[in-house]
Amino acid sequence: MYTRFMSTAERLIASTRELLWERGYTGTSPKAIQQRAGVGQGSMYHHFAGKPDLALAAIRRTAEEMRAKAEEQLSAPGTSVDRVTAYLRRERDVLKGCPIGRLTQDPDVMADPTLRAPVDETLAWLRERLAEVLAEGRERGELDTTLDPQAAAATVVAVLQGGYVLARAADSVQPFDQAITGVLGLLTTHISPTRK
Amino acid sequence: MYTRFMSTAERLIASTRELLWERGYTGTSPKAIQQRAGVGQGSMYHHFAGKPDLALAAIRRTAEEMRAKAEEQLSAPGTSVDRVTAYLRRERDVLKGCPIGRLTQDPDVMADPTLRAPVDETLAWLRERLAEVLAEGRERGELDTTLDPQAAAATVVAVLQGGYVLARAADSVQPFDQAITGVLGLLTTHISPTRK
DNA sequence: GTCTATACATCGATAGAC
DNA sequence: GTCTATCGATGTATAGAC
């Protein structure tokens, strides 16, 4: 970010993405965006209609990236559980939390259907994608037949989002790691109860 | 709230609790607090030193209540799993989210050790309390011996916190309910894998 | 495209009358 | 204890020169 090779518009988007992540929509002012981007007042309003317009561009970009990174793990080779594990255990900026999930706490984002849509769609996509992976694992006999893929997928995404909350509260990655370990433990004991 | 029988200070605390829940710390102004409480500018600054002082009183009150309500389910009669189920399935204002968990997304709250402490302590207490309940269930043979109470407790709290995030994103309780159903399904299949 | 000047509201708090 | 007046700073945006 902020290389000489980024256009003004791109620098503004990058700056906004960071600030939305760190401070949320309400906590982010146009002035702060401009300063971090190293861009003047007039420039910002030339490229974007205003704060909501710029935020939309930033949120969409973040959502795209998040999906792409998840798809990397979820479409990798390996068993269903391998891929879910890889996804959950992947390196993350745990204490910063999820840049999309955090927006659900921003009343001004949730109140604006345009800003809200990418948040809704991203998390819905993630649940569906995980449900597919889990359903596949069940069909292949890797997971117990009693497992409900939709429900388990919601659980996995929730553990991730909630893990961030616990980590931020504790200012430690420990509860996040424990929550992930816990859900993977419960899930993998499902692999073959008869094998035990 | 807001009965004629509430003192000015109590009305201010009640108003602040609501606004912190709905809009977070940054999104809540002294003016909005006063208006909802039906209290004048001068009154607020007579009873409280300022916004942080009032927020602290509000957060502490909310934290107390949250603990008390959790303890209701967790100390009830029944098996370990019964109590965890009762806690997770209890009636909740799902779309409003967790009034304590949401504060982890407020940078100004997290940056102030005094405001942060009750958030940290409440979620830490909840994890410990759930770990006790789960450990008890394991000792009594209700849960598999391979279950790690600390990890599973973190998972349960994370599912709750993350469930709120998913519900708010979708503007529907469905993903919340699915996440809860999912984790309880995984947990109860642990009751006795040999019994299957 | 970018800059500076300007505008008008709100934020968070203080002062002082009653 | 409560009210109104006032304050300097910031938020969000527009106007118009260059």
Side-chain angles (χ1 to χ4, degrees):
Chain A
M1 279 183 181
Y2 307 115
T3 73
R4 226 175 306 114
F5 311 106
M6 256 171 127
S7 69
T8 300
E10 284 300 318
R11 287 154 64 119
L12 283 164
I13 290 176
S15 164
T16 305
R17 289 179 63 191
E18 291 181 4
L19 284 163
L20 285 182
W21 197 358
E22 294 167 17
R23 305 201 39 84
Y25 184 81
T26 307
T28 296
S29 69
K31 191 179 178 181
I33 292 171
Q34 294 149 21
Q35 285 177 342
R36 188 174 295 209
V39 155
Q41 186 93 337
S43 253
M44 180 187 131
Y45 286 100
H46 173 74
H47 291 284
F48 297 93
K51 182 177 160 177
D53 186 37
L54 182 43
L56 179 59
I59 294 171
R60 281 189 175 148
R61 188 70 64 83
T62 299
E64 259 175 51
E65 252 184 39
M66 187 171 144
R67 263 170 85 142
K69 278 204 279 189
E71 188 59 26
E72 248 178 70
Q73 271 83 51
L74 297 180
S75 67
T79 68
S80 176
V81 171
D82 283 346
R83 283 178 285 160
V84 173
T85 302
Y87 173 63
L88 288 176
R89 294 270 192 220
R90 148 186 120 199
E91 209 186 314
R92 289 166 190 278
D93 224 330
V94 174
L95 292 180
K96 290 188 70 176
C98 173
I100 293 298
R102 76 109 55 230
L103 297 173
T104 59
Q105 304 304 330
D106 242 307
D108 297 341
V109 172
M110 291 297 99
D112 181 338
T114 310
L115 292 179
R116 182 205 192 99
V119 176
D120 184 359
E121 288 160 12
T122 302
L123 291 172
W125 172 85
L126 191 53
R127 286 191 286 127
E128 278 173 45
R129 191 69 188 85
L130 273 162
E132 282 173 18
V133 171
L134 292 169
E136 206 182 296
R138 197 181 58 171
E139 282 161 26
R140 293 185 184 163
E142 297 164 11
L143 289 165
D144 195 281
T145 52
T146 64
L147 182 128
D148 175 351
Q150 303 274 335
T155 300
V156 167
V157 181
V159 167
L160 204 48
Q161 294 294 326
Y164 287 130
V165 170
L166 299 184
R168 285 179 62 83
D171 195 25
S172 157
V173 299
Q174 199 205 4
F176 178 92
D177 288 337
Q178 284 187 327
I180 300 293
T181 299
V183 76
L184 286 175
L186 293 173
L187 198 62
T188 55
T189 324
H190 256 264
I191 291 177
S192 161
T194 53
R195 224 191 277 158
K196 294 191 59 176
Chain B
M1 281 182 177
Y2 307 117
T3 72
R4 225 174 307 114
F5 313 104
M6 252 171 130
S7 70
T8 301
E10 282 302 318
R11 287 154 63 119
L12 283 165
I13 290 176
S15 164
T16 305
R17 290 178 64 191
E18 290 181 4
L19 284 163
L20 285 182
W21 196 358
E22 293 167 19
R23 305 200 42 81
Y25 184 82
T26 306
T28 296
S29 70
K31 190 178 177 181
I33 292 171
Q34 294 150 23
Q35 285 177 342
R36 189 173 294 209
V39 156
Q41 185 93 336
S43 253
M44 180 186 131
Y45 285 100
H46 172 73
H47 291 282
F48 297 93
K51 182 178 160 178
D53 185 38
L54 182 43
L56 179 59
I59 294 171
R60 282 189 175 148
R61 188 69 66 83
T62 299
E64 261 175 50
E65 253 185 37
M66 189 172 143
R67 263 170 85 142
K69 279 203 278 188
E71 188 59 27
E72 248 179 69
Q73 272 83 52
L74 296 180
S75 67
T79 68
S80 176
V81 171
D82 283 346
R83 283 178 285 158
V84 173
T85 302
Y87 173 64
L88 287 176
R89 295 269 192 220
R90 150 187 118 197
E91 209 187 315
R92 289 165 189 279
D93 225 329
V94 173
L95 292 181
K96 291 188 72 177
C98 173
I100 292 299
R102 78 108 55 229
L103 297 173
T104 60
Q105 303 303 327
D106 242 306
D108 297 342
V109 171
M110 291 297 100
D112 181 339
T114 309
L115 292 179
R116 182 206 192 98
V119 176
D120 185 359
E121 289 160 10
T122 302
L123 291 172
W125 172 84
L126 190 53
R127 286 192 287 127
E128 278 173 44
R129 191 69 189 84
L130 272 162
E132 283 173 18
V133 171
L134 292 169
E136 205 182 296
R138 198 182 57 171
E139 283 161 25
R140 294 185 183 163
E142 298 164 8
L143 289 165
D144 195 282
T145 52
T146 64
L147 182 128
D148 174 350
Q150 303 275 334
T155 300
V156 166
V157 181
V159 167
L160 204 48
Q161 293 294 325
Y164 287 129
V165 170
L166 300 183
R168 285 179 61 84
D171 195 24
S172 157
V173 299
Q174 199 205 4
F176 178 92
D177 288 337
Q178 284 186 327
I180 299 292
T181 299
V183 75
L184 286 175
L186 294 173
L187 199 62
T188 54
T189 324
H190 257 262
I191 290 178
S192 160
T194 54
R195 221 193 278 157
K196 294 191 60 178

